[in-house]
PDB file of all heavy atoms in Angstrom:
ATOM      1  N   ALA X  17     -91.471  24.216  35.154  1.00 90.00           N
ATOM      2  CA  ALA X  17     -91.117  25.196  36.189  1.00 90.00           C
ATOM      3  C   ALA X  17     -89.684  25.691  35.998  1.00 90.00           C
ATOM      4  O   ALA X  17     -89.397  26.877  36.169  1.00 90.00           O
ATOM      5  CB  ALA X  17     -91.283  24.587  37.581  1.00 90.00           C
ATOM      6  N   THR X  18     -88.800  24.780  35.618  1.00 88.00           N
ATOM      7  CA  THR X  18     -87.404  25.149  35.380  1.00 88.00           C
ATOM      8  C   THR X  18     -87.297  26.036  34.143  1.00 88.00           C
ATOM      9  O   THR X  18     -86.542  27.009  34.138  1.00 88.00           O
ATOM     10  CB  THR X  18     -86.539  23.884  35.215  1.00 88.00           C
ATOM     11  OG1 THR X  18     -86.680  23.095  36.395  1.00 88.00           O
ATOM     12  CG2 THR X  18     -85.087  24.232  35.015  1.00 88.00           C
ATOM     13  N   ALA X  20     -89.490  28.126  33.147  1.00 90.00           N
ATOM     14  CA  ALA X  20     -89.948  29.446  33.579  1.00 90.00           C
ATOM     15  C   ALA X  20     -88.831  30.203  34.296  1.00 90.00           C
ATOM     16  O   ALA X  20     -88.651  31.407  34.082  1.00 90.00           O
ATOM     17  CB  ALA X  20     -91.175  29.312  34.476  1.00 90.00           C
ATOM     18  N   LYS X  21     -88.045  29.518  35.124  1.00 87.00           N
ATOM     19  CA  LYS X  21     -86.931  30.162  35.833  1.00 87.00           C
ATOM     20  C   LYS X  21     -85.874  30.659  34.848  1.00 87.00           C
ATOM     21  O   LYS X  21     -85.331  31.750  35.005  1.00 87.00           O
ATOM     22  CB  LYS X  21     -86.293  29.186  36.826  1.00 87.00           C
ATOM     23  CG  LYS X  21     -87.142  28.861  38.018  1.00 87.00           C
ATOM     24  CD  LYS X  21     -86.463  27.829  38.903  1.00 87.00           C
ATOM     25  CE  LYS X  21     -87.383  27.387  40.013  1.00 87.00           C
ATOM     26  NZ  LYS X  21     -86.809  26.302  40.816  1.00 87.00           N
ATOM     27  N   ILE X  22     -85.575  29.845  33.856  1.00 88.00           N
ATOM     28  CA  ILE X  22     -84.565  30.227  32.873  1.00 88.00           C
ATOM     29  C   ILE X  22     -85.063  31.393  32.028  1.00 88.00           C
ATOM     30  O   ILE X  22     -84.306  32.310  31.701  1.00 88.00           O
ATOM     31  CB  ILE X  22     -84.177  29.025  31.983  1.00 88.00           C
ATOM     32  CG1 ILE X  22     -83.558  27.921  32.833  1.00 88.00           C
ATOM     33  CG2 ILE X  22     -83.246  29.447  30.861  1.00 88.00           C
ATOM     34  CD1 ILE X  22     -82.300  28.312  33.587  1.00 88.00           C
ATOM     35  N   LYS X  23     -86.337  31.401  31.680  1.00 89.00           N
ATOM     36  CA  LYS X  23     -86.891  32.491  30.873  1.00 89.00           C
ATOM     37  C   LYS X  23     -86.803  33.828  31.618  1.00 89.00           C
ATOM     38  O   LYS X  23     -86.693  34.881  30.996  1.00 89.00           O
ATOM     39  CB  LYS X  23     -88.331  32.191  30.473  1.00 89.00           C
ATOM     40  CG  LYS X  23     -88.418  31.133  29.389  1.00 89.00           C
ATOM     41  CD  LYS X  23     -89.857  30.843  28.996  1.00 89.00           C
ATOM     42  CE  LYS X  23     -89.916  29.791  27.921  1.00 89.00           C
ATOM     43  NZ  LYS X  23     -91.289  29.490  27.502  1.00 89.00           N
ATOM     44  N   GLN X  24     -86.824  33.797  32.949  1.00 88.00           N
ATOM     45  CA  GLN X  24     -86.717  35.029  33.733  1.00 88.00           C
ATOM     46  C   GLN X  24     -85.364  35.712  33.561  1.00 88.00           C
ATOM     47  O   GLN X  24     -85.231  36.904  33.800  1.00 88.00           O
ATOM     48  CB  GLN X  24     -86.958  34.748  35.221  1.00 88.00           C
ATOM     49  CG  GLN X  24     -88.387  34.402  35.534  1.00 88.00           C
ATOM     50  CD  GLN X  24     -88.582  34.040  36.994  1.00 88.00           C
ATOM     51  OE1 GLN X  24     -87.641  33.782  37.728  1.00 88.00           O
ATOM     52  NE2 GLN X  24     -89.828  34.022  37.417  1.00 88.00           N
ATOM     53  N   VAL X  25     -84.353  34.951  33.156  1.00 85.00           N
ATOM     54  CA  VAL X  25     -83.015  35.515  32.956  1.00 85.00           C
ATOM     55  C   VAL X  25     -82.968  36.377  31.698  1.00 85.00           C
ATOM     56  O   VAL X  25     -82.077  37.208  31.541  1.00 85.00           O
ATOM     57  CB  VAL X  25     -81.960  34.381  32.898  1.00 85.00           C
ATOM     58  CG1 VAL X  25     -80.580  34.909  32.584  1.00 85.00           C
ATOM     59  CG2 VAL X  25     -81.951  33.621  34.217  1.00 85.00           C
ATOM     60  N   ALA X  57     -80.644  23.135  31.828  1.00 89.00           N
ATOM     61  CA  ALA X  57     -81.017  23.452  33.207  1.00 89.00           C
ATOM     62  C   ALA X  57     -81.622  22.218  33.851  1.00 89.00           C
ATOM     63  O   ALA X  57     -82.684  21.761  33.452  1.00 89.00           O
ATOM     64  CB  ALA X  57     -82.006  24.611  33.222  1.00 89.00           C
ATOM     65  N   HIS X  79     -74.164  24.080  31.479  1.00 88.00           N
ATOM     66  CA  HIS X  79     -75.004  23.253  32.336  1.00 88.00           C
ATOM     67  C   HIS X  79     -75.276  24.001  33.642  1.00 88.00           C
ATOM     68  O   HIS X  79     -74.351  24.291  34.394  1.00 88.00           O
ATOM     69  CB  HIS X  79     -74.296  21.922  32.605  1.00 88.00           C
ATOM     70  CG  HIS X  79     -75.076  20.978  33.451  1.00 88.00           C
ATOM     71  ND1 HIS X  79     -74.473  19.967  34.141  1.00 88.00           N
ATOM     72  CD2 HIS X  79     -76.399  20.877  33.724  1.00 88.00           C
ATOM     73  CE1 HIS X  79     -75.383  19.281  34.800  1.00 88.00           C
ATOM     74  NE2 HIS X  79     -76.564  19.810  34.568  1.00 88.00           N
ATOM     75  N   VAL X  80     -76.535  24.295  33.881  1.00 86.00           N
ATOM     76  CA  VAL X  80     -76.966  25.006  35.086  1.00 86.00           C
ATOM     77  C   VAL X  80     -77.607  23.989  36.021  1.00 86.00           C
ATOM     78  O   VAL X  80     -78.595  23.345  35.665  1.00 86.00           O
ATOM     79  CB  VAL X  80     -77.983  26.118  34.729  1.00 86.00           C
ATOM     80  CG1 VAL X  80     -78.411  26.860  35.984  1.00 86.00           C
ATOM     81  CG2 VAL X  80     -77.400  27.064  33.702  1.00 86.00           C
ATOM     82  N   ASN X  81     -77.051  23.838  37.209  1.00 87.00           N
ATOM     83  CA  ASN X  81     -77.539  22.837  38.150  1.00 87.00           C
ATOM     84  C   ASN X  81     -78.873  23.238  38.760  1.00 87.00           C
ATOM     85  O   ASN X  81     -78.999  24.251  39.429  1.00 87.00           O
ATOM     86  CB  ASN X  81     -76.522  22.612  39.271  1.00 87.00           C
ATOM     87  CG  ASN X  81     -76.981  21.542  40.236  1.00 87.00           C
ATOM     88  OD1 ASN X  81     -77.602  20.565  39.833  1.00 87.00           O
ATOM     89  ND2 ASN X  81     -76.692  21.739  41.506  1.00 87.00           N
ATOM     90  N   LEU X  82     -79.852  22.407  38.524  1.00 77.00           N
ATOM     91  CA  LEU X  82     -81.140  22.523  39.197  1.00 77.00           C
ATOM     92  C   LEU X  82     -81.588  21.152  39.679  1.00 77.00           C
ATOM     93  O   LEU X  82     -82.736  20.932  39.993  1.00 77.00           O
ATOM     94  CB  LEU X  82     -82.189  23.139  38.265  1.00 77.00           C
ATOM     95  CG  LEU X  82     -81.940  24.616  37.967  1.00 77.00           C
ATOM     96  CD1 LEU X  82     -82.808  25.091  36.824  1.00 77.00           C
ATOM     97  CD2 LEU X  82     -82.179  25.463  39.191  1.00 77.00           C
ATOM     98  N   ALA X  91     -72.600  25.849  36.623  1.00 81.00           N
ATOM     99  CA  ALA X  91     -73.197  27.007  37.292  1.00 81.00           C
ATOM    100  C   ALA X  91     -74.420  26.599  38.101  1.00 81.00           C
ATOM    101  O   ALA X  91     -75.071  25.606  37.818  1.00 81.00           O
ATOM    102  CB  ALA X  91     -73.599  28.046  36.249  1.00 81.00           C
ATOM    103  N   GLU X  92     -74.721  27.412  39.077  1.00 80.00           N
ATOM    104  CA  GLU X  92     -75.984  27.334  39.806  1.00 80.00           C
ATOM    105  C   GLU X  92     -76.897  28.408  39.212  1.00 80.00           C
ATOM    106  O   GLU X  92     -76.426  29.342  38.559  1.00 80.00           O
ATOM    107  CB  GLU X  92     -75.762  27.595  41.300  1.00 80.00           C
ATOM    108  CG  GLU X  92     -74.843  26.591  41.982  1.00 80.00           C
ATOM    109  CD  GLU X  92     -75.421  25.186  42.031  1.00 80.00           C
ATOM    110  OE1 GLU X  92     -76.652  25.041  42.184  1.00 80.00           O
ATOM    111  OE2 GLU X  92     -74.640  24.233  41.912  1.00 80.00           O
ATOM    112  N   LEU X  93     -78.181  28.299  39.457  1.00 81.00           N
ATOM    113  CA  LEU X  93     -79.129  29.259  38.891  1.00 81.00           C
ATOM    114  C   LEU X  93     -78.765  30.697  39.268  1.00 81.00           C
ATOM    115  O   LEU X  93     -78.838  31.600  38.439  1.00 81.00           O
ATOM    116  CB  LEU X  93     -80.559  28.929  39.334  1.00 81.00           C
ATOM    117  CG  LEU X  93     -81.659  29.809  38.738  1.00 81.00           C
ATOM    118  CD1 LEU X  93     -81.654  29.720  37.210  1.00 81.00           C
ATOM    119  CD2 LEU X  93     -83.011  29.415  39.280  1.00 81.00           C
ATOM    120  N   ALA X  94     -78.326  30.907  40.507  1.00 83.00           N
ATOM    121  CA  ALA X  94     -77.972  32.259  40.962  1.00 83.00           C
ATOM    122  C   ALA X  94     -76.795  32.849  40.180  1.00 83.00           C
ATOM    123  O   ALA X  94     -76.635  34.061  40.131  1.00 83.00           O
ATOM    124  CB  ALA X  94     -77.638  32.230  42.450  1.00 83.00           C
ATOM    125  N   GLU X  95     -75.982  31.997  39.559  1.00 86.00           N
ATOM    126  CA  GLU X  95     -74.816  32.448  38.798  1.00 86.00           C
ATOM    127  C   GLU X  95     -75.089  32.575  37.300  1.00 86.00           C
ATOM    128  O   GLU X  95     -74.203  32.974  36.542  1.00 86.00           O
ATOM    129  CB  GLU X  95     -73.664  31.449  38.949  1.00 86.00           C
ATOM    130  CG  GLU X  95     -73.225  31.190  40.361  1.00 86.00           C
ATOM    131  CD  GLU X  95     -72.255  30.030  40.431  1.00 86.00           C
ATOM    132  OE1 GLU X  95     -72.591  28.930  39.950  1.00 86.00           O
ATOM    133  OE2 GLU X  95     -71.149  30.246  40.961  1.00 86.00           O
ATOM    134  N   LEU X  96     -76.294  32.248  36.867  1.00 83.00           N
ATOM    135  CA  LEU X  96     -76.569  32.164  35.435  1.00 83.00           C
ATOM    136  C   LEU X  96     -76.323  33.484  34.705  1.00 83.00           C
ATOM    137  O   LEU X  96     -75.683  33.503  33.654  1.00 83.00           O
ATOM    138  CB  LEU X  96     -77.995  31.663  35.183  1.00 83.00           C
ATOM    139  CG  LEU X  96     -78.375  31.485  33.719  1.00 83.00           C
ATOM    140  CD1 LEU X  96     -77.400  30.562  32.994  1.00 83.00           C
ATOM    141  CD2 LEU X  96     -79.799  30.980  33.592  1.00 83.00           C
ATOM    142  N   GLU X  97     -76.783  34.572  35.258  1.00 85.00           N
ATOM    143  CA  GLU X  97     -76.578  35.858  34.575  1.00 85.00           C
ATOM    144  C   GLU X  97     -75.096  36.180  34.434  1.00 85.00           C
ATOM    145  O   GLU X  97     -74.652  36.665  33.389  1.00 85.00           O
ATOM    146  CB  GLU X  97     -77.332  36.970  35.307  1.00 85.00           C
ATOM    147  CG  GLU X  97     -78.837  36.826  35.142  1.00 85.00           C
ATOM    148  CD  GLU X  97     -79.600  38.055  35.564  1.00 85.00           C
ATOM    149  OE1 GLU X  97     -79.189  39.173  35.197  1.00 85.00           O
ATOM    150  OE2 GLU X  97     -80.615  37.886  36.253  1.00 85.00           O
ATOM    151  N   GLU X  98     -74.316  35.892  35.458  1.00 89.00           N
ATOM    152  CA  GLU X  98     -72.867  36.101  35.415  1.00 89.00           C
ATOM    153  C   GLU X  98     -72.221  35.224  34.335  1.00 89.00           C
ATOM    154  O   GLU X  98     -71.365  35.677  33.582  1.00 89.00           O
ATOM    155  CB  GLU X  98     -72.284  35.770  36.790  1.00 89.00           C
ATOM    156  CG  GLU X  98     -70.786  35.793  36.874  1.00 89.00           C
ATOM    157  CD  GLU X  98     -70.312  35.272  38.224  1.00 89.00           C
ATOM    158  OE1 GLU X  98     -71.010  35.446  39.236  1.00 89.00           O
ATOM    159  OE2 GLU X  98     -69.226  34.680  38.242  1.00 89.00           O
ATOM    160  N   LYS X  99     -72.653  33.969  34.245  1.00 85.00           N
ATOM    161  CA  LYS X  99     -72.112  33.046  33.243  1.00 85.00           C
ATOM    162  C   LYS X  99     -72.496  33.478  31.828  1.00 85.00           C
ATOM    163  O   LYS X  99     -71.698  33.380  30.897  1.00 85.00           O
ATOM    164  CB  LYS X  99     -72.587  31.611  33.502  1.00 85.00           C
ATOM    165  CG  LYS X  99     -72.122  31.052  34.817  1.00 85.00           C
ATOM    166  CD  LYS X  99     -70.622  30.864  34.852  1.00 85.00           C
ATOM    167  CE  LYS X  99     -70.201  30.227  36.157  1.00 85.00           C
ATOM    168  NZ  LYS X  99     -68.772  30.013  36.255  1.00 85.00           N
TER     169      LYS X  99
END
Side-chain angles (χ1 to χ4, degrees):
T18 302
K21 290 177 187 175
I22 298 300
K23 286 180 180 181
Q24 290 176 345
V25 175
H79 181 201
V80 181
N81 182 36
L82 290 168
E92 299 294 325
L93 184 59
E95 303 170 305
L96 182 56
E97 290 193 45
E98 174 188 329
K99 297 293 183 180

